[in-house]
Amino acid sequence: MPFLLPNMGYVTDRTDNASDNMTTPPAATPEVLYSERQWVPVWWWIVGFAFAALLGGQMGNNRGIWWFVITFVLVAAVIAWFLWHLSSTVVKVERDADGTRWLVIGEANLPSTVVARSLAVPKTATRNALGRQLDPAAYLVHHAWVDELALFVLDDPEDPTPYWLVSSRDPEALLRAFLPDQADRATEPLQKD
């Protein structure tokens, strides 16, 4: 006998039909072809913890060891959280079940089917790419501690974004994973450096 549960619909206690007991398979998880977390440099961590020790020493001066310890732990925790947050950017290339490759950065994703051209931007050209030549409508993911960039020019009439400019520690590997058919030509600027 079916009965209604709030927010769940009708529930029956019948089990005579085999199709009622079948569960749908979970959606196929995309295959990760490339992944890169953009960590801040190690020396930032060293300077941050040295600063925490300096503040702890200032507070503990002529007061006792607990002033030092508590101050150090609190300041080091805030600095560690801040540096962890700065390092939270993950650039991934995934391939879904139908073979489409996606560039995924946080909540943003870009299918390879809308990329008309791509280019690896070497360290020597990063300043120009981020300077006057930067289109304000571009999608930009940049960190000062990552030297090189990958540029993806879009051909999508539904999207006003002209291109994506993404920091990458290894733009060649990123391009080969995301756009293998364009990678040889797109990475030529890196060979000239």
Side-chain angles (χ1 to χ4, degrees):
M1 173 168 171
F3 55 94
L4 182 65
L5 291 177
N7 298 327
M8 293 181 69
Y10 284 98
V11 177
T12 64
D13 56 0
R14 289 182 43 209
T15 58
D16 57 345
N17 190 349
S19 65
D20 289 343
N21 294 330
M22 294 180 61
T23 59
T24 57
T29 56
E31 176 187 4
V32 176
L33 302 175
Y34 176 82
S35 182
E36 158 187 342
R37 186 175 188 126
Q38 296 183 348
W39 291 99
V40 297
V42 173
W43 68 269
W44 286 28
W45 292 88
I46 294 169
V47 169
F49 288 118
F51 179 71
L54 178 67
L55 283 180
Q58 245 348 73
M59 292 300 291
N61 190 20
N62 294 330
R63 290 194 181 121
I65 190 71
W66 287 110
W67 282 87
F68 168 77
V69 171
I70 291 170
T71 303
F72 174 76
V73 168
L74 290 175
V75 172
V78 169
I79 290 172
W81 172 83
F82 179 68
L83 293 176
W84 183 267
H85 178 70
L86 286 177
S87 301
S88 65
T89 302
V90 176
V91 177
K92 288 192 300 187
V93 175
E94 298 176 346
R95 182 172 40 212
D96 62 12
D98 68 355
T100 304
R101 294 171 189 245
W102 293 82
L103 178 61
V104 180
I105 305 169
E107 296 295 317
N109 52 52
L110 177 70
S112 61
T113 55
V114 299
V115 178
R117 291 185 324 271
S118 60
L119 182 68
V121 181
K123 183 189 331 187
T124 56
T126 299
R127 184 173 176 189
N128 291 338
L130 296 171
R132 285 199 216 184
Q133 295 177 6
L134 181 67
D135 188 331
Y139 182 76
L140 178 66
V141 178
H142 173 65
H143 297 293
W145 58 88
V146 181
D147 293 333
E148 296 177 325
L149 302 163
L151 173 73
F152 304 101
V153 179
L154 306 185
D155 183 21
D156 186 3
E158 296 176 15
D159 190 355
T161 307
Y163 58 88
W164 280 33
L165 192 58
V166 179
S167 291
S168 178
R169 294 194 187 279
D170 190 357
E172 182 173 0
L174 173 62
L175 286 161
R176 291 199 185 284
F178 184 47
L179 301 161
D181 54 331
Q182 297 181 18
D184 288 335
R185 184 177 181 117
T187 58
E188 286 176 4
L190 295 176
Q191 277 67 25
K192 294 177 183 175
D193 264 358

